Amino acid sequence: MTRPFVVDIHTHVYPPSYMTMLRARKTVPYIHDPEDNGTPRLIILSSDDDPAIPIDQRGRPVDSSYSDINVKLDFMQNHGINCSVISLANPWLDFLSPEEAQTWAIRINDDLNATCVDINQAADPDNTLPLREKRTLFAFGALPLSAPTPDIIVEEIHRLSSLSHIRGVIMGTSGLGSGLDDPKLDPVWGALEESQQLLFLHPHYGLPDEAFGGSETTARYGHVLPLALGFPLETTIAVTRMLLSKVFDRFPRLRILLAHSGGAIPFLAGRIESCIAHERKFKENGGDVPGPQRSIWEVLKTNIYLDAVVYGKAGLQAAISAGSTDRLLFGTDHPFFPPLGGEDAKWLSVTTNYTAINEVFKEDHTSVAAILGENAVRILDLN
């Protein structure tokens, strides 16, 4: 059979302009460059900026795989990936002051688009090769969410529609600072719905240390609890709040791609729906608050897409059951979770996703091809 065309829709990069901005900062988030010219470290969370921790050990190392696009291209070559839709990793632009948010959003989004243009032109100068026969890049833009008014965010959403290689936006779960059920986000939802740009929703803040047993517990186990449980539950809570606040009732054509296969939503969708049906606060049950009119099942099958960054057969089966095969898209989460066995080793985080897809579908080559790339080509209009 013909080898499937592979699109990686969950792959991050910190462009040079973003790295420059972080290096100029002295408060979280910031980049520390060791005096011995070692690997720079990104201190991304307040909990990582503990004075008791030597500064050369705070945060996480950010080597060239985070910022050098040629390293990204080599990774794609080594793992059979034809096309990547790159995006900023957390914390995006959420931390910027209101007066600088728009300026940096424009600069970084233009950088992302220009990077894609340069790579794609180098791969096919005359633009005559089919998509399958070249290695290409597209991007999700970042939003100036800390801007003084939502109008500035809306303006950037519409501007992104005019950039040739931008295919949507990436956003965290805090929104304007009060969560995704904040009514002040309605102009943003409206602009995304009107432009039909895909929103890639990605967690960042996780859950408080208390959810895992306190700071001593998280210190003892490192990032396992926050990453394995905190990130997916952050997504689950954020999207459920959107449902309960009737965002999907007001914006029925909103399109959202959820990172990490939607967290626990595919597994808990039935429980969420049952709890909504029995909530006495909702008018439908004699209360005084209108409940959501659209079910979580309808939203999953019409508004939501899921990536396949779930690392296992059981999680992938839940994602397929909650949504559908034609709404699932392959991703790697590169450059996070690098190989443990040296530079030339395969990335376990990538191969486990490939394996899960092949184990679930076995000889169903049509479904495998859809998830690995054809869905992304159709949904994001990559042609």
Side-chain angles (χ1 to χ4, degrees):
M1 60 172 291
T2 303
R3 182 185 166 279
F5 181 77
V6 181
V7 180
D8 183 357
I9 54 81
H10 188 157
T11 180
H12 300 296
V13 65
Y14 292 134
S17 56
Y18 193 78
M19 297 288 282
T20 298
M21 176 178 65
L22 291 178
R23 281 190 164 93
R25 293 175 55 82
K26 302 300 180 186
T27 57
V28 173
Y30 66 94
I31 284 179
H32 167 69
D33 288 303
E35 294 181 359
D36 62 359
N37 294 320
T39 303
R41 299 190 72 88
L42 173 61
I43 293 83
I44 195 171
L45 297 173
S46 297
S47 58
D48 292 333
D49 199 28
D50 186 345
I53 303 173
I55 191 166
D56 286 353
Q57 298 176 24
R58 296 180 200 174
R60 66 184 183 221
V62 282
D63 59 19
S64 60
S65 63
Y66 288 81
S67 55
D68 188 340
I69 202 64
N70 289 310
V71 175
K72 178 78 69 181
L73 294 172
D74 288 343
F75 165 82
M76 293 169 62
Q77 179 71 41
N78 292 336
H79 290 84
I81 296 167
N82 303 86
C83 177
S84 287
V85 186
I86 58 176
S87 57
L88 279 185
N90 52 321
W92 310 288
L93 307 177
D94 295 7
F95 55 89
L96 292 174
S97 64
E99 59 270 16
E100 61 181 352
Q102 184 178 30
T103 299
W104 276 109
I106 292 173
R107 179 177 175 182
I108 289 170
N109 288 333
D110 286 349
D111 279 359
L112 288 169
N113 189 67
T115 296
C116 296
V117 170
D118 291 345
I119 294 300
N120 295 353
Q121 286 183 344
D124 183 12
D126 298 323
N127 196 28
T128 56
L129 294 175
L131 190 64
R132 179 178 291 274
E133 297 180 14
K134 53 189 176 184
R135 209 160 301 281
T136 53
L137 297 179
F138 294 87
F140 292 126
L143 297 179
L145 293 176
S146 60
T149 67
D151 291 346
I152 294 174
I153 307 170
V154 169
E155 182 180 337
E156 183 62 9
I157 290 171
H158 289 307
R159 193 185 76 88
L160 288 171
S161 297
S162 68
L163 299 184
S164 60
H165 285 68
I166 300 295
R167 287 299 185 270
V169 301
I170 188 169
M171 180 174 167
T173 63
S174 64
L176 305 179
S178 299
L180 302 186
D181 53 354
D182 183 355
K184 294 179 182 177
L185 277 168
D186 275 10
V188 176
W189 305 140
L192 289 171
E193 183 181 60
E194 179 185 353
S195 63
Q196 279 297 283
Q197 291 195 66
L198 187 70
L199 167 63
F200 182 23
L201 187 62
H202 193 294
H204 167 57
Y205 298 98
L207 300 179
D209 285 343
E210 290 75 17
F212 307 113
S215 57
E216 291 186 5
T217 300
T218 51
R220 184 163 64 248
Y221 301 124
H223 290 102
V224 173
L225 292 170
L227 286 180
L229 303 180
F231 266 31
L233 289 175
E234 177 186 338
T235 300
T236 303
I237 293 167
V239 176
T240 304
R241 287 173 63 179
M242 291 178 71
L243 177 75
L244 294 172
S245 65
K246 301 181 288 297
V247 169
F248 297 108
D249 292 346
R250 297 193 299 278
F251 303 98
R253 293 172 55 248
L254 189 63
R255 303 195 309 155
I256 302 179
L257 169 65
L258 300 184
H260 315 126
S261 287
I265 289 177
F267 183 78
L268 295 177
R271 184 175 180 86
I272 292 169
E273 191 64 20
S274 177
C275 290
I276 290 173
H278 290 85
E279 178 51 57
R280 293 188 178 91
K281 286 185 179 293
F282 292 150
K283 284 186 176 179
E284 294 80 358
N285 297 322
D288 56 2
V289 178
Q293 299 304 299
R294 300 180 66 207
S295 73
I296 183 68
W297 299 113
E298 180 185 351
V299 169
L300 279 166
K301 294 183 183 299
T302 57
N303 298 93
I304 288 177
Y305 303 89
L306 302 175
D307 73 16
V309 183
V310 70
Y311 311 116
K313 182 177 177 180
L316 187 64
Q317 288 173 321
I320 295 167
S321 178
S324 62
T325 301
D326 63 356
R327 303 181 73 81
L328 195 62
L329 297 85
F330 177 76
T332 67
D333 214 349
H334 181 264
F336 299 96
F337 307 106
L340 301 174
E343 293 183 0
D344 296 330
K346 292 290 185 181
W347 290 55
L348 183 63
S349 57
V350 180
T351 57
T352 51
N353 287 329
Y354 273 134
T355 300
I357 293 169
N358 287 322
E359 285 183 348
V360 168
F361 291 101
K362 300 186 184 302
E363 298 303 315
D364 183 357
H365 302 305
T366 299
S367 294
V368 170
I371 294 171
L372 289 181
E374 291 176 4
N375 290 344
V377 172
R378 182 189 77 252
I379 293 164
L380 295 174
D381 190 22
L382 299 185
N383 284 318

